[in-house]
Amino acid sequence: MILEKALTNDQISLANDIHRKMSAWCVSESSLDSLAQRLPGFSPETTLIKAVLVNSLYGTNVWDIVRVAEYVQGILTPEALINADIDLVERMAHVPKGPNEKRPKRRYSFAAKFAHFFISSEQYPLLDTLAEEMVKWHLGRKAMVYNDEQRYVSFVRNFNYLRESIEGLHSLREMDRYLWIAGHYHHWKKNAEVPMYGVLRSYFELNFTK
């Protein structure tokens, strides 16, 4: 597959070098990894703890986290985990409408991050708007697959196209770091005042010209 804008190993390496300078991000990742090891399984209590930490550290903007965690816990049965595939995130994301909501909210960012850290970090890529934007930037609009009813399934397919285009295999987390940092860089080039981590802004200002 020919990409509209090729992605290189050097770009991914640079993004991961920048990531190592961002201590808060590194600690957030290691905290979630540590929790996954120390609290395996998905009892109601364990699922709530995991959901709260993902939501807090990764800013997935779930207000009714107790209700959402209860819903996710009901999805993650032993049978569902044995047969886990990408569609599992779709099911987790489609949380029923809450009592104070006019319509159901699809919690894709939360569901993808929860699955990545607590089910499989090499099966479930992290999804957010920046990741989608950068995958689209590399693949080009015509090569993109998109289905609004299966946003995560579409994203993973596009993500895998991009990942497989690079010589050598990078982990999902290495890819995510690149997509997130590069996404912020593209926004910063358009508007230097766009909100972002202060450390990341300082790095851009010191090392790149607009």
Side-chain angles (χ1 to χ4, degrees), residues 6-210:
L7 174 58
T8 68
N9 287 302
D10 287 344
Q11 288 173 298
I12 296 175
S13 295
L14 175 59
N16 279 272
D17 287 343
I18 295 172
H19 163 264
R20 284 187 280 272
K21 303 178 191 300
M22 301 176 68
S23 59
W25 188 357
C26 293
V27 171
S28 294
E29 282 184 352
S30 62
S31 296
L32 292 169
D33 290 337
S34 177
L35 180 61
Q37 293 177 357
R38 292 168 182 264
L39 288 178
F42 300 100
S43 68
E45 296 82 5
T46 297
T47 304
L48 178 58
I49 291 170
K50 292 175 177 178
V52 168
L53 198 57
V54 165
N55 190 47
S56 176
L57 294 179
Y58 273 76
T60 54
N61 299 317
V62 178
W63 295 101
D64 194 357
I65 193 65
V66 175
R67 182 180 64 86
V68 172
E70 182 179 12
Y71 170 76
V72 167
Q73 193 268 332
I75 294 289
L76 299 179
T77 64
E79 181 180 9
L81 292 168
I82 290 172
N83 300 312
D85 58 14
I86 298 303
D87 190 61
L88 183 63
V89 170
E90 291 286 345
R91 295 173 59 200
M92 292 167 59
H94 284 63
V95 181
K97 183 173 74 70
N100 296 318
E101 295 175 343
K102 294 182 179 180
R103 64 180 70 88
K105 293 184 179 180
R106 297 181 181 178
R107 313 283 185 177
Y108 277 111
S109 178
F110 168 80
K113 291 175 172 65
F114 188 101
H116 175 86
F117 284 104
F118 301 124
I119 300 177
S120 173
S121 63
E122 279 306 317
Q123 184 176 2
Y124 300 102
L126 286 80
L127 168 65
D128 54 42
T129 302
L130 289 175
E132 287 181 314
E133 288 178 0
M134 288 310 301
V135 169
K136 182 178 179 180
W137 188 79
H138 281 288
L139 294 186
R141 183 183 297 273
K142 293 181 179 179
M144 291 285 289
V145 174
Y146 192 79
N147 180 345
D148 187 55
E149 293 302 316
Q150 289 196 306
R151 179 182 168 192
Y152 190 70
V153 170
S154 299
F155 171 73
V156 171
R157 184 173 176 182
N158 294 322
F159 177 96
N160 286 337
Y161 280 149
L162 180 59
R163 188 186 186 201
E164 291 163 7
S165 74
I166 312 163
E167 184 177 348
L169 186 64
H170 295 275
S171 71
L172 299 191
R173 205 167 289 183
E174 288 171 331
M175 290 288 295
D176 172 73
R177 292 165 186 161
Y178 164 75
L179 295 172
W180 194 84
I181 291 172
H184 274 298
Y185 174 71
H186 279 245
H187 282 272
W188 174 79
K189 288 201 71 173
K190 294 177 183 177
N191 176 12
E193 301 305 317
V194 67
M196 67 175 67
Y197 280 1
V199 174
L200 193 55
R201 184 189 305 281
S202 297
Y203 185 90
F204 291 162
E205 292 173 347
L206 288 172
N207 294 278
F208 300 108
T209 56
K210 289 182 62 63

